[in-house]
């Protein structure tokens, strides 16, 4: 897909170190926010309990994912925690057909790729109140092995270091407050885009 003209729409990228509670916050946002199209990523990670194909992710085998990469079907992709994750061009097209702005849950690499491609990106980074709290949440989830937790913690530290690349930082201390913050950001950005359309 070629880069869209500036300000035709914006792509909100929501990133967070794993364990920051991004999923919980975004579930609350999703329940109250209908004016944005949610892009579903593809991944080679196996589904966690309760995750559904086509809603949480498109779950692909590594072979199918790699074939998609070779065929140029991804806008961006990255290896995170030993699994492949990416955004299919067809998914962005599907979202754009709704004529809404698009929300993507990516990591910092994904945000950089979208920016490089010329998409008008609004970056939102959700952070835990502290690194200690992050570790506690990762262990409490009970879905990952010690090795995976150690890897996720190491990645979290690296991801936290990239927070300066985001336009907004939302602290997930109280989930409802964090969800309110994300909704406020979406609203403000929509108004800003409208102003630019009106004055452009
Ligand atoms: P999880 O396995 O916990 O669902 O996600 C692990 C990480 O992969 C998260 O940081 C998440 O934001 C990132 N991720 C999910 N989808 C994509 C994607 O399409 N592209 C990229 N670059 N990262 C993604």
């Amino acid at each position: 897909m070629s880069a869209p003209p500036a300000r035709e729409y914006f792509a909100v990228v929501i990133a967070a170190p794993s364990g920051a509670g991004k999923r919980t916050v975004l579930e609350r946002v999703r329940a109250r926010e209908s004016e944005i199209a949610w892009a579903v990523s593809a991944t080679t990670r196996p589904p966690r309990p309760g995750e559904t194909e086509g809603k949480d992710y498109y779950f692909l085998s590594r072979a199918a994912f790699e074939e998609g990469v070779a065929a140029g079907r991804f806008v961006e992709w990255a290896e995170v925690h030993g699994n492949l994750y990416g955004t299919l061009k067809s998914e962005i097209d599907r979202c754009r057909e709704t004529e809404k702005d698009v929300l993507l849950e990516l990591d910092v690499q994904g945000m950089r790729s979208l920016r490089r491609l010329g998409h008008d990106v609004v970056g939102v980074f959700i952070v835990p109140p502290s690194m200690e709290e992050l570790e506690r949440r990762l262990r409490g989830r009970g879905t990952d092995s010690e090795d995976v937790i150690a890897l996720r913690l190491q990645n979290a530290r690296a991801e936290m270091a990239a927070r300066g690349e985001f336009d907004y930082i939302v602290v997930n201390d109280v989930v409802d407050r964090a969800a309110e913050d994300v909704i406020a950001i979406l609203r403000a950005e929509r108004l800003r885009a409208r102003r630019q359309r009106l004055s452009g």
Side-chain angles (χ1 to χ4, degrees):
M1 193 174 80
S2 58
R7 287 286 154 191
E8 187 194 319
Y9 83 109
F10 62 86
V12 183
V13 170
I14 313 246
S18 58
K22 181 172 75 170
R23 284 277 147 135
T24 324
V25 172
L26 291 184
E27 263 165 36
R28 307 248 169 127
V29 173
R30 196 169 201 154
R32 297 177 38 196
E33 170 64 62
S34 56
E35 286 180 48
I36 198 139
W38 297 64
V40 178
S41 298
T43 183
T44 61
R45 167 171 80 60
R48 295 200 183 110
E51 287 185 335
T52 355
E53 163 73 20
K55 178 173 174 284
D56 297 286
Y57 283 106
Y58 299 112
F59 295 99
L60 301 181
S61 67
R62 191 169 261 264
F65 197 108
E66 284 170 352
E67 197 186 303
V69 170
R73 284 191 214 113
F74 283 90
V75 187
E76 62 79 35
W77 66 276
E79 181 142 15
V80 187
H81 314 133
N83 289 302
L84 305 179
Y85 294 83
T87 309
L88 288 158
K89 290 179 180 171
S90 56
E91 182 62 9
I92 303 265
D93 292 344
R94 184 189 70 78
C95 290
R96 292 290 299 121
E97 275 163 22
T98 65
E99 296 186 351
K100 293 177 178 176
D101 298 306
V102 182
L103 185 147
L104 306 102
E105 293 175 49
L106 304 178
D107 66 347
V108 65
Q109 303 175 65
M111 180 172 74
R112 287 180 190 140
S113 306
L114 281 186
R115 283 201 167 129
R116 247 193 329 267
L117 287 168
H119 291 262
D120 186 2
V121 171
V122 177
V124 181
F125 197 53
I126 299 181
V127 298
S130 66
M131 285 308 280
E132 292 71 34
E133 175 62 16
L134 182 99
E135 183 164 356
R136 204 184 59 75
R137 288 180 190 175
L138 280 178
R139 287 185 194 288
R141 188 148 77 180
T143 52
D144 298 316
S145 68
E146 269 305 309
D147 284 0
V148 170
I149 290 172
L151 187 59
R152 282 176 186 261
L153 272 175
Q154 190 187 323
N155 288 338
R157 285 196 189 90
E159 284 165 26
M160 290 291 275
R163 61 187 178 275
E165 294 178 42
F166 291 83
D167 300 290
Y168 298 93
I169 295 189
V170 171
V171 179
N172 182 19
D173 192 353
V174 178
V175 174
D176 277 328
R177 175 116 32 95
E180 280 292 335
D181 285 349
V182 174
I183 289 167
I185 292 165
L186 297 178
R187 227 172 259 158
E189 287 296 334
R190 222 174 270 139
L191 291 171
R192 197 203 333 223
R194 188 167 73 185
R195 178 199 162 274
Q196 273 159 348
R197 272 197 299 275
L198 290 176
S199 60

